[in-house]
């Protein structure tokens, strides 16, 4: 059952990335691990990372993997991860400050 769910999620990401790629020029796709715990984390991570017509990030709560599609002329993975870190979330490449982490709800810490 879990493998079916993972397969369905992967298909949804691929289909949505095709539609998103049409809107984002100079698109580049990467994945990165971002540490979070719950649905509230997903909402906050994606809100911090997404920029209309520049970057779209889909974070998977189960795998902790974020799929990033972004305009490589206007932004990069490091800038996106800085916004996520400023929202309080660590990634495999960047740490959040203690102040931003402490500001998260207890379920997200």
């Amino acid at each position: 059952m879990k493998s079916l769910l993972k397969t369905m999620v992967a298909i949804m990401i691929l289909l949505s990335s095709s539609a998103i790629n049409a809107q984002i020029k100079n698109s580049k796709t990467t994945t990165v691990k971002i540490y979070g715990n719950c649905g509230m984390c997903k909402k906050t991570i994606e809100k911090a990372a997404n920029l209309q017509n520049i970057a779209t990030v889909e974070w998977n709560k189960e795998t902790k993997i974020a799929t990033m599609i972004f305009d490589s002329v206007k932004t990069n993975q490091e800038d996106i991860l800085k916004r996520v870190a400023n929202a309080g979330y660590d990634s495999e490449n960047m740490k959040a400050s203690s102040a931003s982490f402490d500001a998260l709800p207890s379920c997200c810490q």
Side-chain angles (χ1 to χ4, degrees):
M1 188 67 161
K2 282 187 178 183
S3 66
L4 176 62
L5 179 62
K6 286 181 183 180
T7 302
M8 290 176 60
V9 168
I11 290 170
M12 288 175 38
I13 289 172
L14 288 173
L15 290 175
S16 66
S17 69
S18 296
I20 291 166
N21 282 337
Q23 297 172 0
I24 296 178
K25 295 179 182 179
N26 307 303
S27 67
K28 181 176 180 178
T29 304
T30 62
T31 58
V32 65
K33 187 168 241 177
I34 299 175
Y35 301 96
N37 300 316
C38 63
M40 194 178 336
C41 295
K42 177 178 175 60
K43 185 176 179 179
T44 305
I45 290 166
E46 291 176 356
K47 183 178 179 181
N50 290 332
L51 292 173
Q52 187 173 2
N53 297 326
I54 296 174
T56 301
V57 175
E58 180 75 26
W59 182 74
N60 183 301
K61 180 176 82 166
E62 304 302 320
T63 63
K64 314 287 190 234
I65 298 293
T67 302
M68 301 180 181
I69 302 168
F70 57 90
D71 183 330
S72 61
V73 172
K74 295 182 179 179
T75 193
N76 57 51
Q77 181 175 326
E78 183 179 340
D79 289 341
I80 295 167
L81 293 177
K82 281 180 188 175
R83 291 195 305 275
V84 171
N86 288 337
Y89 294 91
D90 292 341
S91 68
E92 62 188 3
N93 301 338
M94 193 167 297
K95 299 289 183 191
S97 70
S98 295
S100 60
F101 178 78
D102 291 343
L104 291 173
S106 60
C107 65
C108 299
Q109 293 182 352

